[in-house]
Amino acid sequence: MENSNWKLLPRKTGQTTDVVYRIYNGKTESMSVEAKEYKEWLEKGNTPLPADGE
Amino acid sequence: MALSKVDLANQVENQLPQGLVANNLPYRNIIINGDMSIAQRGTSTASVASNGYFSCDRWRYAENSDAVVTISQDTDVPSGQGFANSFKIDITTADASLGASDNIILQQKFEGQMLQYLKKGTANAVSLTVSFWVKSTKTGIYIVQLYDRDNNRTIAKSYTIDVADTWENKTITYAGDTTGTLDNNNEASLELYFWLMAGSDNTSGTLATSWESNVTANRAVGQVNLADSTSNNFWITGVQLEAGTTASDFEFLPVDVNLQRCLRYLPSIQVKTYTTGGICLAADDGRIHFQLPVRARTAPTGISYDGTILFMRSNGALTGTGIAFATATEDVINIVDVGAASLVAGNATGLGTDSSNTRTILCTGCEL
């Protein structure tokens, strides 16, 4: 299902930085929470959906 | 035989007889993808109302207005010039009433480490000349600005679209800047702006036709409003920015070389079913890594793809709901599964696609 909101993914073994994920405008996208684009999205007052199981 | 360093700028400005065109110096075009032939993100994006990279690689659309546009890689080109593509902006929602801060800009940014030969900030700073083919429904004055981000300095000059919807060739030369050296790193140092709309914040001063400390009001004086009608379109191609005071013939690069240059800023990886080389760490933890096609400007921070790409079980069945970015360096990227199950720890794994289509993973976060 498409959602413009980013959703946190559960951390995998050895991962030290969270990753967010979404399917939007027909594209599947994911990025580190350290990515400039994601930080700009947060600065607009947005918050990500929690990871599954949290 | 020992190789000697080529002083590109001096060859252009000092060593060629006056009036001759240096039309064979390799890599003289600072612009990447000036012929608009590479469009890894897709050939068209509709309903664009925000900043970003759409369609043709390396070209950033920036706007602060109520206008909405469709951006595309088009096949409308100047006849007989050797170009196959142009960058097209189609105004789909007009903004005829300009707010003071409104603006639309088409821009390309350059790494400082690519431009040290310009000797900016020294007594030997060289001139720059930009040449391009342009066509617009909206006639009148347009501004092309160079912006030195490292030192917050600007120079801007105008050109005129004389005839509506007709390809015209334009050349603008900027003096060298003896103030402000460019940082020798991989960050944006110099930027080229093609203004398409500007409100009074950017037009109320005197156009900065000589290098000066950046004054917002002096950046786009006289600029027409391309977005004042939904009938308006803007095309551009054959963009070349080079050292010297003369525009040389456009430097056509082989397609593969042009793509390689773009991949530094938008690495991409093609995958197909049975793309192997991964490993399963747990039932719900598949990993695969790829060598990037060229060293990226900086480590990717994400991925994006169309269609379906999933991890494969050892029997070839696909599992999960997608794939996601994990980590990366400038040379490699690690990708993990999303929602996979029944992988077997220690087994090899790979990626599969919907209907065995070839899918492309774009590695994001490398653009300037």
Side-chain angles (χ1 to χ4, degrees):
Chain A
M1 177 180 290
E2 294 229 345
N3 193 333
S4 63
N5 206 355
W6 290 101
K7 180 178 183 177
L8 285 160
L9 288 173
R11 281 194 180 185
K12 302 280 190 179
T13 305
Q15 267 190 281
T16 56
T17 304
D18 283 324
V19 170
V20 290
Y21 181 87
R22 71 178 179 184
I23 301 172
Y24 184 54
N25 282 340
K27 293 186 181 299
T28 303
E29 303 171 299
S30 56
M31 68 173 76
S32 163
V33 295
E34 299 297 323
K36 179 182 169 188
E37 182 183 342
Y38 181 70
K39 288 179 177 175
E40 290 173 350
W41 183 79
L42 286 180
E43 286 169 3
K44 292 177 182 173
N46 297 303
T47 53
L49 299 169
D52 289 339
E54 293 183 3
Chain B
M1 185 179 79
L3 294 174
S4 59
K5 187 177 178 183
V6 175
D7 187 340
L8 184 64
N10 272 330
Q11 282 204 27
V12 173
E13 285 215 317
N14 301 331
Q15 296 179 8
L16 290 167
Q18 195 170 14
L20 290 185
V21 174
N23 62 2
N24 59 355
L25 297 175
Y27 296 108
R28 65 187 177 278
N29 193 359
I30 294 167
I31 299 284
I32 295 174
N33 198 28
D35 64 358
M36 312 298 178
S37 61
I38 307 295
Q40 294 190 89
R41 295 176 181 84
T43 55
S44 183
T45 303
S47 305
V48 175
S50 60
N51 302 336
Y53 289 87
F54 309 94
S55 190
C56 300
D57 281 42
R58 299 259 43 232
W59 290 98
R60 183 175 189 267
Y61 176 82
E63 78 152 53
N64 177 37
S65 81
D66 294 328
V68 180
V69 304
T70 294
I71 293 174
S72 59
Q73 180 194 45
D74 205 37
T75 55
D76 188 337
V77 293
S79 178
Q81 301 301 319
F83 300 104
N85 297 106
S86 61
F87 187 105
K88 180 183 179 183
I89 298 171
D90 177 2
I91 308 296
T92 55
T93 299
D95 183 359
S97 180
L98 284 183
S101 63
D102 283 2
N103 62 72
I104 299 178
I105 302 167
L106 178 62
Q107 62 186 177
Q108 193 164 131
K109 304 179 182 183
F110 315 107
E111 297 175 55
Q113 65 185 358
M114 304 285 197
L115 303 176
Q116 296 301 302
Y117 69 92
L118 299 180
K119 303 175 210 135
K120 190 175 179 302
T122 77
N124 297 321
V126 299
S127 302
L128 284 167
T129 294
V130 63
S131 54
F132 52 97
W133 286 90
V134 66
K135 169 178 166 177
S136 177
T137 315
K138 180 76 176 179
T139 59
I141 293 172
Y142 289 71
I143 304 299
V144 185
Q145 176 199 354
L146 280 173
Y147 176 58
D148 167 4
R149 179 167 292 279
D150 291 334
N151 302 288
N152 193 32
R153 290 176 62 76
T154 283
I155 188 169
K157 295 199 175 183
S158 67
Y159 68 93
T160 302
I161 300 281
D162 297 306
V163 183
D165 294 323
T166 303
W167 282 103
E168 300 175 24
N169 188 220
K170 306 295 179 184
T171 298
I172 298 170
T173 295
Y174 304 91
D177 186 12
T178 56
T179 301
T181 58
L182 300 177
D183 294 345
N184 186 25
N185 61 26
N186 64 346
E187 299 296 329
S189 285
L190 193 68
E191 305 179 8
L192 180 67
Y193 295 178
F194 289 92
W195 285 83
L196 303 173
M197 165 209 274
S200 59
D201 284 356
N202 287 287
T203 61
S204 57
T206 302
L207 191 64
T209 55
S210 300
W211 281 102
E212 64 178 37
S213 291
N214 187 59
V215 175
T216 301
N218 295 351
R219 301 199 303 173
V221 180
Q223 172 66 46
V224 296
N225 180 10
L226 174 72
D228 65 1
S229 168
T230 56
S231 299
N232 291 349
N233 298 311
F234 180 89
W235 294 263
I236 189 167
T237 192
V239 186
Q240 182 149 292
L241 178 65
E242 60 194 305
T245 57
T246 307
S248 67
D249 292 344
F250 184 81
E251 181 185 19
F252 286 99
L253 295 176
V255 171
D256 57 323
V257 176
N258 206 15
L259 176 60
Q260 291 282 312
R261 301 212 71 195
C262 293
L263 288 170
R264 175 172 173 80
Y265 304 90
L266 184 63
S268 65
I269 301 158
Q270 283 195 338
V271 298
K272 201 171 171 65
T273 294
Y274 303 117
T275 296
T276 57
I279 188 167
C280 306
L281 297 185
D284 60 352
D285 193 348
R287 306 293 179 93
I288 192 166
H289 91 275
F290 294 97
Q291 185 81 27
L292 297 179
V294 300
R295 176 164 289 186
R297 181 190 67 85
T298 188
T301 54
I303 63 171
S304 169
Y305 61 91
D306 291 321
T308 300
I309 305 176
L310 301 174
F311 272 75
M312 272 191 312
R313 295 176 184 151
S314 52
N315 64 0
L318 302 179
T319 180
T321 58
I323 62 170
F325 172 84
T327 60
T329 71
E330 295 93 336
D331 290 314
V332 298
I333 188 165
N334 287 277
I335 287 170
V336 297
D337 72 274
V338 177
S342 303
L343 297 170
V344 177
N347 276 8
T349 185
L351 299 179
T353 62
D354 45 315
S355 303
S356 295
N357 287 313
T358 298
R359 295 294 182 189
T360 299
I361 301 169
L362 298 177
C363 304
T364 56
C366 307
E367 258 296 358
L368 288 166

PDB file of all heavy atoms in Angstrom, chain B residues 279-307:
ATOM      1  N   ILE B 279      23.865 -13.602   1.182  1.00  0.00           N
ATOM      2  CA  ILE B 279      23.913 -14.642   2.205  1.00  0.00           C
ATOM      3  C   ILE B 279      22.769 -14.424   3.181  1.00  0.00           C
ATOM      4  O   ILE B 279      22.356 -13.284   3.418  1.00  0.00           O
ATOM      5  CB  ILE B 279      25.279 -14.637   2.948  1.00  0.00           C
ATOM      6  CG1 ILE B 279      25.386 -15.847   3.867  1.00  0.00           C
ATOM      7  CG2 ILE B 279      25.496 -13.332   3.705  1.00  0.00           C
ATOM      8  CD1 ILE B 279      26.770 -16.103   4.397  1.00  0.00           C
ATOM      9  N   CYS B 280      22.266 -15.537   3.720  1.00  0.00           N
ATOM     10  CA  CYS B 280      21.206 -15.466   4.729  1.00  0.00           C
ATOM     11  C   CYS B 280      21.851 -15.537   6.118  1.00  0.00           C
ATOM     12  O   CYS B 280      22.581 -16.486   6.406  1.00  0.00           O
ATOM     13  CB  CYS B 280      20.232 -16.628   4.576  1.00  0.00           C
ATOM     14  SG  CYS B 280      19.531 -16.777   2.926  1.00  0.00           S
ATOM     15  N   LEU B 281      21.568 -14.541   6.940  1.00  0.00           N
ATOM     16  CA  LEU B 281      22.084 -14.552   8.309  1.00  0.00           C
ATOM     17  C   LEU B 281      21.076 -15.176   9.258  1.00  0.00           C
ATOM     18  O   LEU B 281      21.431 -15.650  10.338  1.00  0.00           O
ATOM     19  CB  LEU B 281      22.417 -13.134   8.761  1.00  0.00           C
ATOM     20  CG  LEU B 281      23.515 -12.415   7.968  1.00  0.00           C
ATOM     21  CD1 LEU B 281      23.824 -11.059   8.594  1.00  0.00           C
ATOM     22  CD2 LEU B 281      24.784 -13.241   7.895  1.00  0.00           C
ATOM     23  N   ALA B 282      19.807 -15.125   8.884  1.00  0.00           N
ATOM     24  CA  ALA B 282      18.739 -15.714   9.699  1.00  0.00           C
ATOM     25  C   ALA B 282      17.532 -15.904   8.790  1.00  0.00           C
ATOM     26  O   ALA B 282      17.547 -15.500   7.624  1.00  0.00           O
ATOM     27  CB  ALA B 282      18.402 -14.795  10.878  1.00  0.00           C
ATOM     28  N   ALA B 283      16.476 -16.500   9.341  1.00  0.00           N
ATOM     29  CA  ALA B 283      15.277 -16.756   8.543  1.00  0.00           C
ATOM     30  C   ALA B 283      14.682 -15.465   7.991  1.00  0.00           C
ATOM     31  O   ALA B 283      14.081 -15.459   6.920  1.00  0.00           O
ATOM     32  CB  ALA B 283      14.255 -17.501   9.386  1.00  0.00           C
ATOM     33  N   ASP B 284      14.866 -14.386   8.745  1.00  0.00           N
ATOM     34  CA  ASP B 284      14.302 -13.103   8.327  1.00  0.00           C
ATOM     35  C   ASP B 284      15.405 -12.063   8.084  1.00  0.00           C
ATOM     36  O   ASP B 284      15.204 -10.868   8.298  1.00  0.00           O
ATOM     37  CB  ASP B 284      13.325 -12.592   9.386  1.00  0.00           C
ATOM     38  CG  ASP B 284      13.994 -12.380  10.736  1.00  0.00           C
ATOM     39  OD1 ASP B 284      15.175 -12.781  10.883  1.00  0.00           O
ATOM     40  OD2 ASP B 284      13.353 -11.820  11.632  1.00  0.00           O
ATOM     41  N   ASP B 285      16.557 -12.527   7.638  1.00  0.00           N
ATOM     42  CA  ASP B 285      17.687 -11.586   7.487  1.00  0.00           C
ATOM     43  C   ASP B 285      18.552 -11.991   6.291  1.00  0.00           C
ATOM     44  O   ASP B 285      19.521 -12.726   6.431  1.00  0.00           O
ATOM     45  CB  ASP B 285      18.515 -11.561   8.770  1.00  0.00           C
ATOM     46  CG  ASP B 285      19.497 -10.404   8.799  1.00  0.00           C
ATOM     47  OD1 ASP B 285      19.696  -9.756   7.749  1.00  0.00           O
ATOM     48  OD2 ASP B 285      20.072 -10.143   9.874  1.00  0.00           O
ATOM     49  N   GLY B 286      18.171 -11.487   5.120  1.00  0.00           N
ATOM     50  CA  GLY B 286      18.964 -11.704   3.920  1.00  0.00           C
ATOM     51  C   GLY B 286      19.826 -10.479   3.621  1.00  0.00           C
ATOM     52  O   GLY B 286      19.404  -9.343   3.841  1.00  0.00           O
ATOM     53  N   ARG B 287      21.032 -10.713   3.139  1.00  0.00           N
ATOM     54  CA  ARG B 287      21.951  -9.604   2.837  1.00  0.00           C
ATOM     55  C   ARG B 287      22.563  -9.827   1.452  1.00  0.00           C
ATOM     56  O   ARG B 287      22.871 -10.950   1.063  1.00  0.00           O
ATOM     57  CB  ARG B 287      23.107  -9.553   3.855  1.00  0.00           C
ATOM     58  CG  ARG B 287      22.688  -9.496   5.296  1.00  0.00           C
ATOM     59  CD  ARG B 287      22.002  -8.203   5.639  1.00  0.00           C
ATOM     60  NE  ARG B 287      21.601  -8.192   7.030  1.00  0.00           N
ATOM     61  CZ  ARG B 287      22.360  -7.693   8.023  1.00  0.00           C
ATOM     62  NH1 ARG B 287      23.528  -7.157   7.746  1.00  0.00           N
ATOM     63  NH2 ARG B 287      21.925  -7.734   9.262  1.00  0.00           N
ATOM     64  N   ILE B 288      22.741  -8.728   0.741  1.00  0.00           N
ATOM     65  CA  ILE B 288      23.471  -8.791  -0.519  1.00  0.00           C
ATOM     66  C   ILE B 288      24.186  -7.468  -0.694  1.00  0.00           C
ATOM     67  O   ILE B 288      23.695  -6.423  -0.250  1.00  0.00           O
ATOM     68  CB  ILE B 288      22.528  -9.105  -1.707  1.00  0.00           C
ATOM     69  CG1 ILE B 288      23.325  -9.455  -2.965  1.00  0.00           C
ATOM     70  CG2 ILE B 288      21.564  -7.957  -1.971  1.00  0.00           C
ATOM     71  CD1 ILE B 288      22.472 -10.093  -4.069  1.00  0.00           C
ATOM     72  N   HIS B 289      25.376  -7.517  -1.256  1.00  0.00           N
ATOM     73  CA  HIS B 289      26.074  -6.260  -1.491  1.00  0.00           C
ATOM     74  C   HIS B 289      26.493  -6.165  -2.951  1.00  0.00           C
ATOM     75  O   HIS B 289      26.697  -7.176  -3.625  1.00  0.00           O
ATOM     76  CB  HIS B 289      27.266  -6.081  -0.543  1.00  0.00           C
ATOM     77  CG  HIS B 289      28.563  -6.603  -1.075  1.00  0.00           C
ATOM     78  ND1 HIS B 289      28.935  -7.919  -0.956  1.00  0.00           N
ATOM     79  CD2 HIS B 289      29.564  -5.986  -1.735  1.00  0.00           C
ATOM     80  CE1 HIS B 289      30.115  -8.083  -1.514  1.00  0.00           C
ATOM     81  NE2 HIS B 289      30.522  -6.939  -2.002  1.00  0.00           N
ATOM     82  N   PHE B 290      26.566  -4.958  -3.409  1.00  0.00           N
ATOM     83  CA  PHE B 290      26.950  -4.682  -4.793  1.00  0.00           C
ATOM     84  C   PHE B 290      28.103  -3.687  -4.814  1.00  0.00           C
ATOM     85  O   PHE B 290      28.131  -2.729  -4.049  1.00  0.00           O
ATOM     86  CB  PHE B 290      25.780  -4.080  -5.588  1.00  0.00           C
ATOM     87  CG  PHE B 290      24.630  -5.012  -5.778  1.00  0.00           C
ATOM     88  CD1 PHE B 290      23.530  -4.960  -4.942  1.00  0.00           C
ATOM     89  CD2 PHE B 290      24.649  -5.957  -6.791  1.00  0.00           C
ATOM     90  CE1 PHE B 290      22.464  -5.821  -5.117  1.00  0.00           C
ATOM     91  CE2 PHE B 290      23.587  -6.824  -6.974  1.00  0.00           C
ATOM     92  CZ  PHE B 290      22.492  -6.759  -6.135  1.00  0.00           C
ATOM     93  N   GLN B 291      29.012  -3.931  -5.746  1.00  0.00           N
ATOM     94  CA  GLN B 291      30.031  -2.930  -6.047  1.00  0.00           C
ATOM     95  C   GLN B 291      29.365  -1.847  -6.890  1.00  0.00           C
ATOM     96  O   GLN B 291      28.661  -2.146  -7.863  1.00  0.00           O
ATOM     97  CB  GLN B 291      31.171  -3.585  -6.847  1.00  0.00           C
ATOM     98  CG  GLN B 291      32.352  -2.691  -7.123  1.00  0.00           C
ATOM     99  CD  GLN B 291      33.299  -2.596  -5.941  1.00  0.00           C
ATOM    100  OE1 GLN B 291      33.385  -3.520  -5.131  1.00  0.00           O
ATOM    101  NE2 GLN B 291      34.005  -1.482  -5.845  1.00  0.00           N
ATOM    102  N   LEU B 292      29.542  -0.602  -6.516  1.00  0.00           N
ATOM    103  CA  LEU B 292      28.954   0.475  -7.312  1.00  0.00           C
ATOM    104  C   LEU B 292      29.705   0.603  -8.636  1.00  0.00           C
ATOM    105  O   LEU B 292      30.901   0.304  -8.718  1.00  0.00           O
ATOM    106  CB  LEU B 292      29.005   1.794  -6.541  1.00  0.00           C
ATOM    107  CG  LEU B 292      28.198   1.809  -5.237  1.00  0.00           C
ATOM    108  CD1 LEU B 292      28.333   3.152  -4.523  1.00  0.00           C
ATOM    109  CD2 LEU B 292      26.733   1.487  -5.488  1.00  0.00           C
ATOM    110  N   PRO B 293      29.005   1.046  -9.680  1.00  0.00           N
ATOM    111  CA  PRO B 293      29.612   1.053 -11.022  1.00  0.00           C
ATOM    112  C   PRO B 293      30.786   2.023 -11.163  1.00  0.00           C
ATOM    113  O   PRO B 293      31.674   1.790 -11.987  1.00  0.00           O
ATOM    114  CB  PRO B 293      28.445   1.452 -11.930  1.00  0.00           C
ATOM    115  CG  PRO B 293      27.452   2.112 -11.034  1.00  0.00           C
ATOM    116  CD  PRO B 293      27.602   1.464  -9.704  1.00  0.00           C
ATOM    117  N   VAL B 294      30.766   3.100 -10.408  1.00  0.00           N
ATOM    118  CA  VAL B 294      31.917   4.000 -10.315  1.00  0.00           C
ATOM    119  C   VAL B 294      31.988   4.464  -8.864  1.00  0.00           C
ATOM    120  O   VAL B 294      31.013   4.324  -8.118  1.00  0.00           O
ATOM    121  CB  VAL B 294      31.791   5.250 -11.230  1.00  0.00           C
ATOM    122  CG1 VAL B 294      31.681   4.848 -12.687  1.00  0.00           C
ATOM    123  CG2 VAL B 294      30.618   6.119 -10.818  1.00  0.00           C
ATOM    124  N   ARG B 295      33.114   5.005  -8.454  1.00  0.00           N
ATOM    125  CA  ARG B 295      33.177   5.558  -7.092  1.00  0.00           C
ATOM    126  C   ARG B 295      32.227   6.744  -7.016  1.00  0.00           C
ATOM    127  O   ARG B 295      32.329   7.694  -7.794  1.00  0.00           O
ATOM    128  CB  ARG B 295      34.601   5.987  -6.739  1.00  0.00           C
ATOM    129  CG  ARG B 295      34.680   6.646  -5.366  1.00  0.00           C
ATOM    130  CD  ARG B 295      36.084   6.714  -4.847  1.00  0.00           C
ATOM    131  NE  ARG B 295      36.558   5.368  -4.485  1.00  0.00           N
ATOM    132  CZ  ARG B 295      37.720   5.122  -3.897  1.00  0.00           C
ATOM    133  NH1 ARG B 295      38.551   6.110  -3.619  1.00  0.00           N
ATOM    134  NH2 ARG B 295      38.075   3.886  -3.618  1.00  0.00           N
ATOM    135  N   ALA B 296      31.297   6.663  -6.059  1.00  0.00           N
ATOM    136  CA  ALA B 296      30.300   7.724  -5.928  1.00  0.00           C
ATOM    137  C   ALA B 296      30.935   8.971  -5.316  1.00  0.00           C
ATOM    138  O   ALA B 296      31.966   8.893  -4.649  1.00  0.00           O
ATOM    139  CB  ALA B 296      29.147   7.244  -5.060  1.00  0.00           C
ATOM    140  N   ARG B 297      30.287  10.095  -5.531  1.00  0.00           N
ATOM    141  CA  ARG B 297      30.814  11.345  -4.947  1.00  0.00           C
ATOM    142  C   ARG B 297      30.906  11.210  -3.437  1.00  0.00           C
ATOM    143  O   ARG B 297      31.861  11.648  -2.806  1.00  0.00           O
ATOM    144  CB  ARG B 297      29.893  12.525  -5.312  1.00  0.00           C
ATOM    145  CG  ARG B 297      30.374  13.864  -4.770  1.00  0.00           C
ATOM    146  CD  ARG B 297      29.347  14.954  -4.939  1.00  0.00           C
ATOM    147  NE  ARG B 297      28.168  14.748  -4.117  1.00  0.00           N
ATOM    148  CZ  ARG B 297      28.060  15.119  -2.838  1.00  0.00           C
ATOM    149  NH1 ARG B 297      29.078  15.716  -2.239  1.00  0.00           N
ATOM    150  NH2 ARG B 297      26.958  14.896  -2.148  1.00  0.00           N
ATOM    151  N   THR B 298      29.879  10.602  -2.864  1.00  0.00           N
ATOM    152  CA  THR B 298      29.849  10.336  -1.428  1.00  0.00           C
ATOM    153  C   THR B 298      29.030   9.066  -1.224  1.00  0.00           C
ATOM    154  O   THR B 298      28.338   8.614  -2.140  1.00  0.00           O
ATOM    155  CB  THR B 298      29.227  11.532  -0.677  1.00  0.00           C
ATOM    156  OG1 THR B 298      29.364  11.344   0.724  1.00  0.00           O
ATOM    157  CG2 THR B 298      27.760  11.700  -1.028  1.00  0.00           C
ATOM    158  N   ALA B 299      29.133   8.454  -0.077  1.00  0.00           N
ATOM    159  CA  ALA B 299      28.427   7.189   0.154  1.00  0.00           C
ATOM    160  C   ALA B 299      26.925   7.387   0.010  1.00  0.00           C
ATOM    161  O   ALA B 299      26.362   8.331   0.573  1.00  0.00           O
ATOM    162  CB  ALA B 299      28.750   6.663   1.545  1.00  0.00           C
ATOM    163  N   PRO B 300      26.256   6.515  -0.735  1.00  0.00           N
ATOM    164  CA  PRO B 300      24.792   6.601  -0.812  1.00  0.00           C
ATOM    165  C   PRO B 300      24.175   6.494   0.581  1.00  0.00           C
ATOM    166  O   PRO B 300      24.744   5.865   1.481  1.00  0.00           O
ATOM    167  CB  PRO B 300      24.408   5.403  -1.680  1.00  0.00           C
ATOM    168  CG  PRO B 300      25.641   5.072  -2.459  1.00  0.00           C
ATOM    169  CD  PRO B 300      26.792   5.414  -1.556  1.00  0.00           C
ATOM    170  N   THR B 301      22.992   7.078   0.715  1.00  0.00           N
ATOM    171  CA  THR B 301      22.276   7.002   1.993  1.00  0.00           C
ATOM    172  C   THR B 301      20.914   6.340   1.830  1.00  0.00           C
ATOM    173  O   THR B 301      20.145   6.278   2.782  1.00  0.00           O
ATOM    174  CB  THR B 301      22.091   8.409   2.594  1.00  0.00           C
ATOM    175  OG1 THR B 301      21.462   9.248   1.622  1.00  0.00           O
ATOM    176  CG2 THR B 301      23.430   8.999   2.999  1.00  0.00           C
ATOM    177  N   GLY B 302      20.609   5.856   0.628  1.00  0.00           N
ATOM    178  CA  GLY B 302      19.328   5.209   0.433  1.00  0.00           C
ATOM    179  C   GLY B 302      19.253   4.542  -0.926  1.00  0.00           C
ATOM    180  O   GLY B 302      20.204   4.612  -1.722  1.00  0.00           O
ATOM    181  N   ILE B 303      18.114   3.867  -1.165  1.00  0.00           N
ATOM    182  CA  ILE B 303      17.865   3.288  -2.491  1.00  0.00           C
ATOM    183  C   ILE B 303      16.421   3.569  -2.898  1.00  0.00           C
ATOM    184  O   ILE B 303      15.558   3.867  -2.061  1.00  0.00           O
ATOM    185  CB  ILE B 303      18.122   1.761  -2.537  1.00  0.00           C
ATOM    186  CG1 ILE B 303      17.165   1.007  -1.610  1.00  0.00           C
ATOM    187  CG2 ILE B 303      19.571   1.445  -2.224  1.00  0.00           C
ATOM    188  CD1 ILE B 303      17.222  -0.505  -1.785  1.00  0.00           C
ATOM    189  N   SER B 304      16.173   3.448  -4.188  1.00  0.00           N
ATOM    190  CA  SER B 304      14.831   3.641  -4.739  1.00  0.00           C
ATOM    191  C   SER B 304      14.704   2.742  -5.955  1.00  0.00           C
ATOM    192  O   SER B 304      15.660   2.590  -6.720  1.00  0.00           O
ATOM    193  CB  SER B 304      14.674   5.115  -5.133  1.00  0.00           C
ATOM    194  OG  SER B 304      13.512   5.314  -5.899  1.00  0.00           O
ATOM    195  N   TYR B 305      13.513   2.128  -6.118  1.00  0.00           N
ATOM    196  CA  TYR B 305      13.329   1.293  -7.302  1.00  0.00           C
ATOM    197  C   TYR B 305      11.857   1.191  -7.668  1.00  0.00           C
ATOM    198  O   TYR B 305      10.972   1.359  -6.825  1.00  0.00           O
ATOM    199  CB  TYR B 305      13.933  -0.103  -7.086  1.00  0.00           C
ATOM    200  CG  TYR B 305      13.325  -0.902  -5.953  1.00  0.00           C
ATOM    201  CD1 TYR B 305      12.243  -1.757  -6.159  1.00  0.00           C
ATOM    202  CD2 TYR B 305      13.848  -0.798  -4.664  1.00  0.00           C
ATOM    203  CE1 TYR B 305      11.700  -2.494  -5.119  1.00  0.00           C
ATOM    204  CE2 TYR B 305      13.306  -1.525  -3.615  1.00  0.00           C
ATOM    205  CZ  TYR B 305      12.234  -2.370  -3.850  1.00  0.00           C
ATOM    206  OH  TYR B 305      11.687  -3.085  -2.805  1.00  0.00           O
ATOM    207  N   ASP B 306      11.614   0.926  -8.920  1.00  0.00           N
ATOM    208  CA  ASP B 306      10.270   0.645  -9.428  1.00  0.00           C
ATOM    209  C   ASP B 306      10.048  -0.861  -9.448  1.00  0.00           C
ATOM    210  O   ASP B 306      11.008  -1.644  -9.519  1.00  0.00           O
ATOM    211  CB  ASP B 306      10.114   1.178 -10.863  1.00  0.00           C
ATOM    212  CG  ASP B 306      10.113   2.689 -10.922  1.00  0.00           C
ATOM    213  OD1 ASP B 306       9.517   3.318 -10.035  1.00  0.00           O
ATOM    214  OD2 ASP B 306      10.717   3.230 -11.857  1.00  0.00           O
ATOM    215  N   GLY B 307       8.775  -1.263  -9.425  1.00  0.00           N
ATOM    216  CA  GLY B 307       8.454  -2.675  -9.551  1.00  0.00           C
ATOM    217  C   GLY B 307       8.744  -3.437  -8.279  1.00  0.00           C
ATOM    218  O   GLY B 307       8.758  -2.876  -7.181  1.00  0.00           O
TER     219      GLY B 307
END
